[in-house]
Amino acid sequence: MHDYIKERTIRIGEHVVETRKTVRMIAKEFGVSKSTVHKDLTERLPEINPELANKVKGILEYHKSIRHLRGGEATRKKYQTDSNDKQAEPV
């Protein structure tokens, strides 16, 4: 594994622990794909730093456990905005 990949993996892991942000948010901040972030955190980090990997794993499991709530909230907001737009149109 290249040094820059190890460094990125550790930086991403530490950032997740500090901020508790989602994989999507982290990917956008680091300029890499969600797949890269996920692979770094689940496959590479345990080999590099098992202690940090355990902390990250707990955060990722929490995000996974509430993802259905996030999706439902996004859908609710989408349709709430659509219905507000329709009410504002003149008949």
PDB file of all heavy atoms in Angstrom, residues 1-29:
ATOM      1  N   MET A   1       0.855  -1.174   0.000  1.00  0.00           N
ATOM      2  CA  MET A   1       0.000   0.000   0.000  1.00  0.00           C
ATOM      3  C   MET A   1       0.904   1.243   0.000  1.00  0.00           C
ATOM      4  O   MET A   1       1.863   1.318   0.747  1.00  0.00           O
ATOM      5  CB  MET A   1      -0.898  -0.027   1.242  1.00  0.00           C
ATOM      6  CG  MET A   1      -1.906   1.065   1.278  1.00  0.00           C
ATOM      7  SD  MET A   1      -2.994   1.074   2.739  1.00  0.00           S
ATOM      8  CE  MET A   1      -3.226  -0.607   3.148  1.00  0.00           C
ATOM      9  N   HIS A   2       0.555   2.204  -0.831  1.00  0.00           N
ATOM     10  CA  HIS A   2       1.331   3.440  -0.927  1.00  0.00           C
ATOM     11  C   HIS A   2       1.176   4.281   0.343  1.00  0.00           C
ATOM     12  O   HIS A   2       0.147   4.214   1.021  1.00  0.00           O
ATOM     13  CB  HIS A   2       0.876   4.264  -2.130  1.00  0.00           C
ATOM     14  CG  HIS A   2       1.146   3.616  -3.443  1.00  0.00           C
ATOM     15  ND1 HIS A   2       2.398   3.534  -3.989  1.00  0.00           N
ATOM     16  CD2 HIS A   2       0.315   2.989  -4.319  1.00  0.00           C
ATOM     17  CE1 HIS A   2       2.336   2.915  -5.151  1.00  0.00           C
ATOM     18  NE2 HIS A   2       1.076   2.553  -5.367  1.00  0.00           N
ATOM     19  N   ASP A   3       2.200   5.065   0.624  1.00  0.00           N
ATOM     20  CA  ASP A   3       2.187   5.910   1.827  1.00  0.00           C
ATOM     21  C   ASP A   3       1.050   6.915   1.808  1.00  0.00           C
ATOM     22  O   ASP A   3       0.427   7.167   2.836  1.00  0.00           O
ATOM     23  CB  ASP A   3       3.526   6.632   1.988  1.00  0.00           C
ATOM     24  CG  ASP A   3       4.645   5.679   2.401  1.00  0.00           C
ATOM     25  OD1 ASP A   3       4.335   4.590   2.909  1.00  0.00           O
ATOM     26  OD2 ASP A   3       5.820   6.040   2.207  1.00  0.00           O
ATOM     27  N   TYR A   4       0.770   7.506   0.628  1.00  0.00           N
ATOM     28  CA  TYR A   4      -0.287   8.520   0.576  1.00  0.00           C
ATOM     29  C   TYR A   4      -1.655   7.913   0.871  1.00  0.00           C
ATOM     30  O   TYR A   4      -2.523   8.573   1.453  1.00  0.00           O
ATOM     31  CB  TYR A   4      -0.283   9.270  -0.766  1.00  0.00           C
ATOM     32  CG  TYR A   4      -0.846   8.498  -1.945  1.00  0.00           C
ATOM     33  CD1 TYR A   4      -2.182   8.619  -2.295  1.00  0.00           C
ATOM     34  CD2 TYR A   4      -0.043   7.663  -2.714  1.00  0.00           C
ATOM     35  CE1 TYR A   4      -2.717   7.940  -3.369  1.00  0.00           C
ATOM     36  CE2 TYR A   4      -0.556   6.972  -3.786  1.00  0.00           C
ATOM     37  CZ  TYR A   4      -1.901   7.111  -4.118  1.00  0.00           C
ATOM     38  OH  TYR A   4      -2.415   6.425  -5.188  1.00  0.00           O
ATOM     39  N   ILE A   5      -1.846   6.643   0.532  1.00  0.00           N
ATOM     40  CA  ILE A   5      -3.116   5.974   0.836  1.00  0.00           C
ATOM     41  C   ILE A   5      -3.220   5.741   2.338  1.00  0.00           C
ATOM     42  O   ILE A   5      -4.275   5.965   2.941  1.00  0.00           O
ATOM     43  CB  ILE A   5      -3.253   4.655   0.054  1.00  0.00           C
ATOM     44  CG1 ILE A   5      -3.351   4.949  -1.434  1.00  0.00           C
ATOM     45  CG2 ILE A   5      -4.466   3.865   0.530  1.00  0.00           C
ATOM     46  CD1 ILE A   5      -3.374   3.711  -2.318  1.00  0.00           C
ATOM     47  N   LYS A   6      -2.127   5.313   2.960  1.00  0.00           N
ATOM     48  CA  LYS A   6      -2.124   5.117   4.414  1.00  0.00           C
ATOM     49  C   LYS A   6      -2.413   6.434   5.130  1.00  0.00           C
ATOM     50  O   LYS A   6      -3.224   6.470   6.066  1.00  0.00           O
ATOM     51  CB  LYS A   6      -0.773   4.571   4.876  1.00  0.00           C
ATOM     52  CG  LYS A   6      -0.533   3.133   4.534  1.00  0.00           C
ATOM     53  CD  LYS A   6       0.811   2.679   5.064  1.00  0.00           C
ATOM     54  CE  LYS A   6       1.087   1.245   4.692  1.00  0.00           C
ATOM     55  NZ  LYS A   6       2.387   0.781   5.169  1.00  0.00           N
ATOM     56  N   GLU A   7      -1.754   7.499   4.694  1.00  0.00           N
ATOM     57  CA  GLU A   7      -1.961   8.805   5.326  1.00  0.00           C
ATOM     58  C   GLU A   7      -3.407   9.271   5.172  1.00  0.00           C
ATOM     59  O   GLU A   7      -4.018   9.757   6.127  1.00  0.00           O
ATOM     60  CB  GLU A   7      -1.009   9.842   4.720  1.00  0.00           C
ATOM     61  CG  GLU A   7       0.440   9.611   5.071  1.00  0.00           C
ATOM     62  CD  GLU A   7       1.384  10.525   4.299  1.00  0.00           C
ATOM     63  OE1 GLU A   7       0.900  11.503   3.679  1.00  0.00           O
ATOM     64  OE2 GLU A   7       2.591  10.259   4.307  1.00  0.00           O
ATOM     65  N   ARG A   8      -3.962   9.123   3.954  1.00  0.00           N
ATOM     66  CA  ARG A   8      -5.353   9.522   3.711  1.00  0.00           C
ATOM     67  C   ARG A   8      -6.299   8.706   4.583  1.00  0.00           C
ATOM     68  O   ARG A   8      -7.239   9.251   5.183  1.00  0.00           O
ATOM     69  CB  ARG A   8      -5.688   9.323   2.232  1.00  0.00           C
ATOM     70  CG  ARG A   8      -7.139   9.712   1.902  1.00  0.00           C
ATOM     71  CD  ARG A   8      -7.543   9.311   0.513  1.00  0.00           C
ATOM     72  NE  ARG A   8      -7.591   7.864   0.403  1.00  0.00           N
ATOM     73  CZ  ARG A   8      -7.316   7.198  -0.709  1.00  0.00           C
ATOM     74  NH1 ARG A   8      -6.940   7.820  -1.797  1.00  0.00           N
ATOM     75  NH2 ARG A   8      -7.395   5.877  -0.725  1.00  0.00           N
ATOM     76  N   THR A   9      -6.041   7.412   4.673  1.00  0.00           N
ATOM     77  CA  THR A   9      -6.900   6.529   5.462  1.00  0.00           C
ATOM     78  C   THR A   9      -6.917   6.949   6.930  1.00  0.00           C
ATOM     79  O   THR A   9      -7.979   7.044   7.545  1.00  0.00           O
ATOM     80  CB  THR A   9      -6.421   5.067   5.322  1.00  0.00           C
ATOM     81  OG1 THR A   9      -6.473   4.702   3.949  1.00  0.00           O
ATOM     82  CG2 THR A   9      -7.276   4.131   6.130  1.00  0.00           C
ATOM     83  N   ILE A  10      -5.764   7.245   7.479  1.00  0.00           N
ATOM     84  CA  ILE A  10      -5.688   7.669   8.878  1.00  0.00           C
ATOM     85  C   ILE A  10      -6.356   9.025   9.069  1.00  0.00           C
ATOM     86  O   ILE A  10      -7.111   9.231  10.024  1.00  0.00           O
ATOM     87  CB  ILE A  10      -4.221   7.688   9.363  1.00  0.00           C
ATOM     88  CG1 ILE A  10      -3.696   6.255   9.443  1.00  0.00           C
ATOM     89  CG2 ILE A  10      -4.095   8.377  10.717  1.00  0.00           C
ATOM     90  CD1 ILE A  10      -2.214   6.143   9.686  1.00  0.00           C
ATOM     91  N   ARG A  11      -6.120   9.956   8.130  1.00  0.00           N
ATOM     92  CA  ARG A  11      -6.753  11.282   8.234  1.00  0.00           C
ATOM     93  C   ARG A  11      -8.267  11.168   8.182  1.00  0.00           C
ATOM     94  O   ARG A  11      -8.987  11.807   8.956  1.00  0.00           O
ATOM     95  CB  ARG A  11      -6.260  12.197   7.109  1.00  0.00           C
ATOM     96  CG  ARG A  11      -4.911  12.807   7.353  1.00  0.00           C
ATOM     97  CD  ARG A  11      -4.580  13.992   6.447  1.00  0.00           C
ATOM     98  NE  ARG A  11      -5.398  14.119   5.258  1.00  0.00           N
ATOM     99  CZ  ARG A  11      -4.998  13.822   4.014  1.00  0.00           C
ATOM    100  NH1 ARG A  11      -3.795  13.336   3.804  1.00  0.00           N
ATOM    101  NH2 ARG A  11      -5.809  14.000   2.988  1.00  0.00           N
ATOM    102  N   ILE A  12      -8.763  10.338   7.269  1.00  0.00           N
ATOM    103  CA  ILE A  12     -10.216  10.156   7.152  1.00  0.00           C
ATOM    104  C   ILE A  12     -10.772   9.521   8.429  1.00  0.00           C
ATOM    105  O   ILE A  12     -11.802   9.961   8.953  1.00  0.00           O
ATOM    106  CB  ILE A  12     -10.561   9.307   5.908  1.00  0.00           C
ATOM    107  CG1 ILE A  12     -10.316  10.120   4.634  1.00  0.00           C
ATOM    108  CG2 ILE A  12     -11.998   8.826   5.958  1.00  0.00           C
ATOM    109  CD1 ILE A  12     -10.495   9.341   3.343  1.00  0.00           C
ATOM    110  N   GLY A  13     -10.097   8.501   8.943  1.00  0.00           N
ATOM    111  CA  GLY A  13     -10.549   7.845  10.173  1.00  0.00           C
ATOM    112  C   GLY A  13     -10.606   8.809  11.343  1.00  0.00           C
ATOM    113  O   GLY A  13     -11.586   8.842  12.093  1.00  0.00           O
ATOM    114  N   GLU A  14      -9.575   9.613  11.516  1.00  0.00           N
ATOM    115  CA  GLU A  14      -9.548  10.588  12.607  1.00  0.00           C
ATOM    116  C   GLU A  14     -10.641  11.637  12.419  1.00  0.00           C
ATOM    117  O   GLU A  14     -11.286  12.061  13.387  1.00  0.00           O
ATOM    118  CB  GLU A  14      -8.178  11.261  12.687  1.00  0.00           C
ATOM    119  CG  GLU A  14      -7.097  10.327  13.184  1.00  0.00           C
ATOM    120  CD  GLU A  14      -5.697  10.910  13.084  1.00  0.00           C
ATOM    121  OE1 GLU A  14      -5.504  11.938  12.392  1.00  0.00           O
ATOM    122  OE2 GLU A  14      -4.776  10.320  13.691  1.00  0.00           O
ATOM    123  N   HIS A  15     -10.873  12.032  11.164  1.00  0.00           N
ATOM    124  CA  HIS A  15     -11.902  13.038  10.878  1.00  0.00           C
ATOM    125  C   HIS A  15     -13.299  12.497  11.212  1.00  0.00           C
ATOM    126  O   HIS A  15     -14.132  13.219  11.769  1.00  0.00           O
ATOM    127  CB  HIS A  15     -11.815  13.463   9.413  1.00  0.00           C
ATOM    128  CG  HIS A  15     -12.625  14.670   9.069  1.00  0.00           C
ATOM    129  ND1 HIS A  15     -12.332  15.927   9.557  1.00  0.00           N
ATOM    130  CD2 HIS A  15     -13.733  14.808   8.302  1.00  0.00           C
ATOM    131  CE1 HIS A  15     -13.222  16.780   9.095  1.00  0.00           C
ATOM    132  NE2 HIS A  15     -14.083  16.129   8.333  1.00  0.00           N
ATOM    133  N   VAL A  16     -13.533  11.237  10.897  1.00  0.00           N
ATOM    134  CA  VAL A  16     -14.831  10.619  11.211  1.00  0.00           C
ATOM    135  C   VAL A  16     -15.048  10.597  12.723  1.00  0.00           C
ATOM    136  O   VAL A  16     -16.132  10.932  13.210  1.00  0.00           O
ATOM    137  CB  VAL A  16     -14.923   9.186  10.624  1.00  0.00           C
ATOM    138  CG1 VAL A  16     -16.121   8.445  11.183  1.00  0.00           C
ATOM    139  CG2 VAL A  16     -14.999   9.238   9.124  1.00  0.00           C
ATOM    140  N   VAL A  17     -14.022  10.224  13.467  1.00  0.00           N
ATOM    141  CA  VAL A  17     -14.147  10.157  14.922  1.00  0.00           C
ATOM    142  C   VAL A  17     -14.379  11.551  15.510  1.00  0.00           C
ATOM    143  O   VAL A  17     -15.208  11.721  16.408  1.00  0.00           O
ATOM    144  CB  VAL A  17     -12.897   9.492  15.552  1.00  0.00           C
ATOM    145  CG1 VAL A  17     -12.903   9.616  17.052  1.00  0.00           C
ATOM    146  CG2 VAL A  17     -12.823   8.023  15.138  1.00  0.00           C
ATOM    147  N   GLU A  18     -13.685  12.553  14.991  1.00  0.00           N
ATOM    148  CA  GLU A  18     -13.832  13.921  15.511  1.00  0.00           C
ATOM    149  C   GLU A  18     -15.185  14.526  15.182  1.00  0.00           C
ATOM    150  O   GLU A  18     -15.809  15.164  16.021  1.00  0.00           O
ATOM    151  CB  GLU A  18     -12.736  14.824  14.932  1.00  0.00           C
ATOM    152  CG  GLU A  18     -11.352  14.538  15.446  1.00  0.00           C
ATOM    153  CD  GLU A  18     -10.290  15.317  14.687  1.00  0.00           C
ATOM    154  OE1 GLU A  18     -10.636  16.217  13.893  1.00  0.00           O
ATOM    155  OE2 GLU A  18      -9.107  15.010  14.882  1.00  0.00           O
ATOM    156  N   THR A  19     -15.637  14.349  13.924  1.00  0.00           N
ATOM    157  CA  THR A  19     -16.834  15.059  13.467  1.00  0.00           C
ATOM    158  C   THR A  19     -18.097  14.210  13.436  1.00  0.00           C
ATOM    159  O   THR A  19     -19.200  14.762  13.398  1.00  0.00           O
ATOM    160  CB  THR A  19     -16.610  15.610  12.048  1.00  0.00           C
ATOM    161  OG1 THR A  19     -16.398  14.522  11.142  1.00  0.00           O
ATOM    162  CG2 THR A  19     -15.434  16.565  12.019  1.00  0.00           C
ATOM    163  N   ARG A  20     -17.949  12.875  13.400  1.00  0.00           N
ATOM    164  CA  ARG A  20     -19.075  11.939  13.304  1.00  0.00           C
ATOM    165  C   ARG A  20     -19.909  12.188  12.039  1.00  0.00           C
ATOM    166  O   ARG A  20     -21.115  11.940  12.018  1.00  0.00           O
ATOM    167  CB  ARG A  20     -19.950  11.988  14.555  1.00  0.00           C
ATOM    168  CG  ARG A  20     -19.178  11.670  15.830  1.00  0.00           C
ATOM    169  CD  ARG A  20     -20.041  11.593  17.052  1.00  0.00           C
ATOM    170  NE  ARG A  20     -21.005  10.508  17.026  1.00  0.00           N
ATOM    171  CZ  ARG A  20     -20.765   9.250  17.376  1.00  0.00           C
ATOM    172  NH1 ARG A  20     -19.581   8.903  17.764  1.00  0.00           N
ATOM    173  NH2 ARG A  20     -21.720   8.343  17.336  1.00  0.00           N
ATOM    174  N   LYS A  21     -19.277  12.660  10.989  1.00  0.00           N
ATOM    175  CA  LYS A  21     -19.975  12.924   9.729  1.00  0.00           C
ATOM    176  C   LYS A  21     -20.178  11.624   8.956  1.00  0.00           C
ATOM    177  O   LYS A  21     -19.516  10.628   9.193  1.00  0.00           O
ATOM    178  CB  LYS A  21     -19.178  13.908   8.875  1.00  0.00           C
ATOM    179  CG  LYS A  21     -19.179  15.309   9.446  1.00  0.00           C
ATOM    180  CD  LYS A  21     -18.486  16.271   8.514  1.00  0.00           C
ATOM    181  CE  LYS A  21     -18.569  17.685   9.068  1.00  0.00           C
ATOM    182  NZ  LYS A  21     -17.892  18.644   8.190  1.00  0.00           N
ATOM    183  N   THR A  22     -21.095  11.685   7.982  1.00  0.00           N
ATOM    184  CA  THR A  22     -21.402  10.518   7.162  1.00  0.00           C
ATOM    185  C   THR A  22     -20.337  10.320   6.090  1.00  0.00           C
ATOM    186  O   THR A  22     -19.539  11.210   5.803  1.00  0.00           O
ATOM    187  CB  THR A  22     -22.767  10.680   6.461  1.00  0.00           C
ATOM    188  OG1 THR A  22     -22.692  11.794   5.561  1.00  0.00           O
ATOM    189  CG2 THR A  22     -23.882  10.906   7.468  1.00  0.00           C
ATOM    190  N   VAL A  23     -20.368   9.137   5.471  1.00  0.00           N
ATOM    191  CA  VAL A  23     -19.418   8.806   4.416  1.00  0.00           C
ATOM    192  C   VAL A  23     -19.557   9.795   3.255  1.00  0.00           C
ATOM    193  O   VAL A  23     -18.560  10.244   2.684  1.00  0.00           O
ATOM    194  CB  VAL A  23     -19.620   7.344   3.937  1.00  0.00           C
ATOM    195  CG1 VAL A  23     -18.813   7.055   2.687  1.00  0.00           C
ATOM    196  CG2 VAL A  23     -19.242   6.377   5.045  1.00  0.00           C
ATOM    197  N   ARG A  24     -20.777  10.168   2.901  1.00  0.00           N
ATOM    198  CA  ARG A  24     -20.985  11.129   1.812  1.00  0.00           C
ATOM    199  C   ARG A  24     -20.334  12.473   2.114  1.00  0.00           C
ATOM    200  O   ARG A  24     -19.692  13.063   1.255  1.00  0.00           O
ATOM    201  CB  ARG A  24     -22.476  11.368   1.582  1.00  0.00           C
ATOM    202  CG  ARG A  24     -23.150  10.326   0.770  1.00  0.00           C
ATOM    203  CD  ARG A  24     -24.623  10.659   0.606  1.00  0.00           C
ATOM    204  NE  ARG A  24     -25.321   9.514   0.091  1.00  0.00           N
ATOM    205  CZ  ARG A  24     -25.936   9.497  -1.075  1.00  0.00           C
ATOM    206  NH1 ARG A  24     -25.964  10.560  -1.826  1.00  0.00           N
ATOM    207  NH2 ARG A  24     -26.533   8.409  -1.499  1.00  0.00           N
ATOM    208  N   MET A  25     -20.525  12.959   3.311  1.00  0.00           N
ATOM    209  CA  MET A  25     -19.938  14.248   3.692  1.00  0.00           C
ATOM    210  C   MET A  25     -18.413  14.185   3.656  1.00  0.00           C
ATOM    211  O   MET A  25     -17.758  15.101   3.155  1.00  0.00           O
ATOM    212  CB  MET A  25     -20.396  14.646   5.093  1.00  0.00           C
ATOM    213  CG  MET A  25     -21.842  14.966   5.222  1.00  0.00           C
ATOM    214  SD  MET A  25     -22.203  15.259   6.966  1.00  0.00           S
ATOM    215  CE  MET A  25     -23.946  15.598   6.894  1.00  0.00           C
ATOM    216  N   ILE A  26     -17.858  13.114   4.201  1.00  0.00           N
ATOM    217  CA  ILE A  26     -16.405  12.946   4.240  1.00  0.00           C
ATOM    218  C   ILE A  26     -15.848  12.862   2.816  1.00  0.00           C
ATOM    219  O   ILE A  26     -14.823  13.475   2.507  1.00  0.00           O
ATOM    220  CB  ILE A  26     -16.024  11.672   5.033  1.00  0.00           C
ATOM    221  CG1 ILE A  26     -16.522  11.765   6.479  1.00  0.00           C
ATOM    222  CG2 ILE A  26     -14.532  11.415   4.970  1.00  0.00           C
ATOM    223  CD1 ILE A  26     -15.800  12.734   7.345  1.00  0.00           C
ATOM    224  N   ALA A  27     -16.513  12.117   1.944  1.00  0.00           N
ATOM    225  CA  ALA A  27     -16.055  11.965   0.565  1.00  0.00           C
ATOM    226  C   ALA A  27     -15.994  13.323  -0.129  1.00  0.00           C
ATOM    227  O   ALA A  27     -15.021  13.631  -0.827  1.00  0.00           O
ATOM    228  CB  ALA A  27     -16.979  11.022  -0.192  1.00  0.00           C
ATOM    229  N   LYS A  28     -17.010  14.127   0.081  1.00  0.00           N
ATOM    230  CA  LYS A  28     -17.036  15.456  -0.536  1.00  0.00           C
ATOM    231  C   LYS A  28     -15.901  16.326   0.000  1.00  0.00           C
ATOM    232  O   LYS A  28     -15.226  17.020  -0.760  1.00  0.00           O
ATOM    233  CB  LYS A  28     -18.389  16.118  -0.263  1.00  0.00           C
ATOM    234  CG  LYS A  28     -18.647  17.352  -1.088  1.00  0.00           C
ATOM    235  CD  LYS A  28     -20.042  17.899  -0.867  1.00  0.00           C
ATOM    236  CE  LYS A  28     -21.009  17.159  -1.759  1.00  0.00           C
ATOM    237  NZ  LYS A  28     -22.348  17.777  -1.783  1.00  0.00           N
ATOM    238  N   GLU A  29     -15.664  16.279   1.303  1.00  0.00           N
ATOM    239  CA  GLU A  29     -14.615  17.099   1.910  1.00  0.00           C
ATOM    240  C   GLU A  29     -13.215  16.686   1.444  1.00  0.00           C
ATOM    241  O   GLU A  29     -12.358  17.544   1.253  1.00  0.00           O
ATOM    242  CB  GLU A  29     -14.676  17.001   3.437  1.00  0.00           C
ATOM    243  CG  GLU A  29     -15.852  17.724   4.039  1.00  0.00           C
ATOM    244  CD  GLU A  29     -15.915  17.605   5.548  1.00  0.00           C
ATOM    245  OE1 GLU A  29     -14.919  17.179   6.166  1.00  0.00           O
ATOM    246  OE2 GLU A  29     -16.977  17.915   6.103  1.00  0.00           O
TER     247      GLU A  29
END
